[in-house]
Amino acid sequence: MSDTIERIKCLIIGSGPAGYTAAIYAARADLKPVVYTGLEMGGQLTTTTEVDNFPGYPEGIDGPALMDDLKNQAERFGTEVRFGIVTKVDLNKEIGGIHKVTIDEAVEVEAETVIISTGATAKYLGLESEQRLKGGGVSACATCDGFFYRNQDVVVIGAGDTAAEEATYLANICKSVTILVRKDYMRASKAMQTRVDNTENIKVMFNTELDEVLGDKVVEGVRVFNNITNEKQELKVTGVFIAIGHKPNTEIFKNIIDTDEVGYIQTKGKSTKTNLPGVFAAGDVQDKEYRQAVTAAGTGCMAALDAERYLGTLI
Ligand code: NDP
């Protein structure tokens, strides 16, 4: 090992619930973890207001406060949390091999194990009004924010399984749900669509796109247009749920780690093992099904245990 290059036993990339939970477990196992936080320190929950579904907080907790708690808990056991973005990885294919990771295009560190918990990012349409009203009625997570729209009228944009699932979830809470579908059919699976069709308070508008979210500080409605007739109309709603897919944050691992066709890291069986020895993946970066803080935390725990066991086999 060179004198100048730092060697880390357990390097964790990403600081969402998966990364910090991995850090808590790795630190308690004396792996002296180092977390590189990424640009959005604390991950997706730092852009959420109230989190009501994380166990242990009967009164709910603010997203940023929850992430602070997780960070503090990881640090209490000796985790070193560093602000920095991993810009390049050179991952070893051999059992016991050392992985090289570059931070901010400048500093290189070496790691015996790497836990990838870089998360996924919800896709947005890119409208100015949509961005402005994020957190003020525009959301990309029905399970996170649906509760705030009890007995209200909302729209869901999208036509895949996520849109169908979010719409049926919201239909249990809201007065009405309108799904805006840009084509003349939904791409969602048959079972999901049947559920949508059988839910009385869900209406589907085909060939319909969002033109503008209306409202100054909070959502007061949407203007939509029919992409065949170009006819515009306004719908009075208080919530806009964007469900047009997520993008896993895996660009730097492209062609290095096995992913599915969308880019989600593939893990082996029930473990967090990737195709590379000593490299593990936890949280949304490897999960397009559940995407919850608590499931991310669960896989973070698993990744730390997998890393500890892997190191144990090398002795
Ligand atoms: P998908 O990529 O499957 O679907 C995205 C949808 O958003 C498409 O219907 C697409 O429309 C629409 N869309 C994209 N861009 C725009 C736009 N600019 N304006 C309007 N509509 C747009 O993403 P999902 O998140 O739905 O699903 C991702 C994966 O996760 C899938 O494999 C899915 O099966 C899986 N999943 C499974 C679940 C389950 O089994 N419980 C639950 C949720 C997801 P178009 O059709 O016109 O391209």
Side-chain angles (χ1 to χ4, degrees), residues 125 158-162 165 182-183 187 192 244-245 288-289:
L125 298 165
D161 282 337
T162 301
E165 194 168 71
R182 66 177 171 182
K183 291 189 180 142
R187 183 202 289 195
M192 296 276 208
I244 60 171
K288 63 181 174 196
E289 287 269 334

